[in-house]
Amino acid sequence: MAALTQWMATGRRKTGVARVFLRNGSGNIVVNGRVYDKYFTNESARLMVKQALQATETSDKFDVLVTTRGGGMTGQAGAIRHGITRALMSYDETLRQPLRAAG
């Protein structure tokens, strides 16, 4: 059985906190046990969650598993974006430049 390879990071925004686990996969994003587009009903929050993956063109390379708490939906989405960004940088430090350029 192959070992599970994953990268973990914590993201924070306002009072929202998110623990993000990046795993090799096909682009699935699960937030608190639910598919992210069912968890976030607001389109801008869904776009915010995927922003770092799209900026680095890794949307279809990783599955993202998130546990989040605190804050509102926007704060949680920002915390997830921050956590994904930090996890991507722990995966590959050369992704820092495209992430910084994307803000």
Side-chain angles (χ1 to χ4, degrees), residues 83-100:
I84 291 173
T85 299
R86 292 175 77 181
L88 283 169
M89 287 192 306
S90 70
Y91 162 72
D92 184 1
E93 186 65 31
T94 62
L95 295 176
R96 179 181 294 271
Q97 188 58 37
L99 289 166
R100 186 172 293 272

Side-chain angles (χ1 to χ4, degrees), residues 42-98:
N42 186 342
E43 181 65 27
S44 64
R46 289 193 294 252
L47 292 173
M48 191 182 303
V49 167
K50 293 196 78 165
Q51 189 175 13
L53 294 169
Q54 291 172 339
T56 57
E57 298 175 357
T58 56
S59 295
D60 58 349
K61 188 173 182 177
F62 295 109
D63 286 341
V64 181
L65 178 64
V66 180
T67 57
T68 185
R69 61 184 166 79
M73 286 294 156
T74 305
Q76 287 185 357
I80 293 169
R81 177 178 62 180
H82 185 224
I84 291 173
T85 299
R86 292 175 77 181
L88 283 169
M89 287 192 306
S90 70
Y91 162 72
D92 184 1
E93 186 65 31
T94 62
L95 295 176
R96 179 181 294 271
Q97 188 58 37

Side-chain angles (χ1 to χ4, degrees), residues 5-75:
T5 303
Q6 71 179 6
W7 297 268
M8 185 268 195
T10 301
R12 294 177 188 85
R13 171 82 172 106
K14 295 186 176 182
T15 58
V17 179
R19 286 188 312 166
V20 175
F21 299 89
L22 279 185
R23 298 176 179 167
N24 292 323
S26 59
N28 298 322
I29 301 174
V30 177
V31 179
N32 290 345
R34 294 166 41 192
V35 178
Y36 88 103
D37 57 351
K38 300 287 188 225
Y39 187 82
F40 293 109
T41 56
N42 186 342
E43 181 65 27
S44 64
R46 289 193 294 252
L47 292 173
M48 191 182 303
V49 167
K50 293 196 78 165
Q51 189 175 13
L53 294 169
Q54 291 172 339
T56 57
E57 298 175 357
T58 56
S59 295
D60 58 349
K61 188 173 182 177
F62 295 109
D63 286 341
V64 181
L65 178 64
V66 180
T67 57
T68 185
R69 61 184 166 79
M73 286 294 156
T74 305

